[in-house]
Amino acid sequence: MTRALQSGAAMALASPHDAPPAPNPDTESGREYAALRVALHEDIRKLSDMASIEARNPVKADMAMTYIDWIDGVLAAGEHGQAAQDEILMTNMIWAVDYRDFDYALRIAAHALKFNLVMPERYNRTVACFVAEEIATIAHDSHEAVTLEQLLQVLALTDGADMPDPARAKLHKALGRAWERRADAFDPAADNAPAGGKAAYAQEALAHLTRALALFKDIGVKKDIERVARQLKKLEQDAAKSNA
């Protein structure tokens, strides 16, 4: 067993509903956690001295390498049903979203949601709300940065989690637009083409856009819904002609 796994495995078992305690400071893993937490707070201080938010993100990616072994151990321990409230882990999840390594962020988020971990004190949102809202916002601003599959993973991870309706609406809006782009890029000759053809993608888009509007009337999807509905109607008309 590696030291990283030992660090994670020494943590307390999570309770079914409450956040678990932080690592015991009287254990070897607790002392390692404390030392890394000092380094983390120094990194956070350095970041706060940088005026440019954009410039911070590649620095966060570099800083994250300091904590990767610890996090690997924590995630491995989680596979054995063990976890602890962990500021290092949660901060690195936030950083990973900022520097757009969504796969890494979602690995950490899955662990955090499984064991009811909470965000660092300086954040007012739950893990589920943060992940859903932040990744959806990035998808709205730069859709090429987030894949449809990643958005679907966010949806699955946060399904049933309590969050403000506008936050969940953002996720459904991002999903609706991602499915619409998938429909626009449809290739009927592709091996993974759905049974319903292009219309299947458009129907997914319409379902998510409609859900977004139901959750928050000012989410800004009414024109999207009209556009996708027109596309579906045309697809139905074209299908009817070809079958005539």
Side-chain angles (χ1 to χ4, degrees):
M1 184 182 291
T2 66
R3 182 169 181 184
L5 179 55
Q6 289 173 343
S7 297
M11 296 178 184
L13 287 171
S15 66
H17 303 292
D18 298 326
N24 186 339
D26 295 328
T27 64
E28 181 181 359
S29 61
R31 288 187 288 272
E32 181 179 0
Y33 174 76
L36 283 170
R37 195 162 171 263
V38 170
L40 178 73
H41 287 181
E42 177 60 19
D43 284 343
I44 292 171
R45 186 197 64 75
K46 290 177 182 176
L47 290 168
S48 69
D49 288 341
M50 299 178 67
S52 169
I53 294 175
E54 182 181 28
R56 292 176 193 171
N57 293 335
V59 175
K60 290 174 182 176
D62 290 338
M63 288 175 170
M65 299 307 296
T66 301
Y67 311 101
I68 194 165
D69 287 343
W70 173 265
I71 291 170
D72 283 347
V74 170
L75 297 180
E79 294 175 2
H80 292 82
Q82 296 173 306
Q85 180 57 41
D86 189 324
E87 184 182 3
I88 296 165
L89 184 79
M90 301 311 296
T91 300
N92 274 267
M93 181 194 75
I94 295 162
W95 286 357
V97 171
D98 290 341
Y99 60 75
R100 300 190 178 186
D101 188 343
F102 301 119
D103 290 337
Y104 189 45
L106 291 173
R107 280 183 62 211
I108 298 174
H111 172 94
L113 290 166
K114 178 180 178 180
F115 293 106
N116 306 307
L117 305 191
V118 299
M119 297 285 283
E121 290 183 1
R122 59 191 179 276
Y123 291 88
N124 295 321
R125 286 176 286 179
T126 64
V127 173
C129 183
F130 172 84
V131 170
E133 190 167 23
E134 288 300 312
I135 294 180
T137 297
I138 293 169
H140 294 160
D141 295 341
S142 306
H143 68 78
E144 68 282 354
V146 189
T147 67
L148 171 59
E149 288 71 24
Q150 287 168 333
L151 288 170
L152 289 170
Q153 188 177 354
V154 173
L155 181 66
L157 280 175
T158 61
D159 182 42
D162 185 35
M163 69 180 73
D165 290 340
R168 191 171 294 281
K170 283 185 182 181
L171 178 59
H172 283 287
K173 178 180 178 179
L175 276 159
R177 289 181 171 179
W179 277 116
E180 184 183 7
R181 288 190 294 273
R182 182 66 60 90
D184 291 342
F186 175 71
D187 179 2
D191 293 336
N192 61 347
K198 184 174 183 176
Y201 292 145
Q203 287 165 354
E204 287 284 354
L206 186 60
H208 284 287
L209 293 167
T210 302
R211 180 60 178 148
L213 183 62
L215 285 165
F216 183 46
K217 65 181 179 63
D218 294 326
I219 192 61
V221 296
K222 290 181 181 178
K223 290 184 179 179
D224 300 75
I225 290 172
E226 292 171 0
R227 184 176 59 250
V228 175
R230 285 195 302 269
Q231 183 184 49
L232 271 170
K233 185 176 181 180
K234 184 177 186 305
L235 289 169
E236 290 169 0
Q237 291 171 341
D238 291 346
K241 288 178 183 178
S242 64
N243 293 329

